[in-house]
Amino acid sequence: FPSHDIRDYKGVDIYEGDIILLDSEEELEVVFRDGSFVLEDKNAGYCILGLVYSRCEVIGNVYEK
């Protein structure tokens, strides 16, 4: 499931299930929730991917961890 052709700051396509490093600090998972792709933290909630994708780096996905 592509996240509407959204790419990280290195130009890598972001997909549902990807693990994202946000601001070089926090690892979050890309999920589809309430009609939007979001970055989810199991403890702290989530933020909309479209608002922060330029600060993200794809570092893996849930299927490879």
Side-chain angles (χ1 to χ4, degrees), residues 12-65:
V12 176
D13 288 330
I14 299 174
Y15 294 90
E16 183 175 18
D18 280 345
I19 304 298
I20 299 294
L21 190 61
L22 179 61
D23 293 331
S24 300
E25 297 175 7
E26 187 174 13
E27 288 187 20
L28 303 164
E29 179 182 344
V30 178
V31 297
F32 191 75
R33 179 187 286 201
D34 300 327
S36 297
F37 286 97
V38 299
L39 296 175
E40 182 176 67
D41 179 335
K42 303 292 186 212
N43 299 319
Y46 63 94
C47 64
I48 297 172
L49 177 61
L51 299 176
V52 296
Y53 68 92
S54 64
R55 297 171 20 216
C56 296
E57 178 183 0
V58 176
I59 59 169
N61 62 60
V62 295
Y63 308 106
E64 295 175 347
K65 280 197 158 199

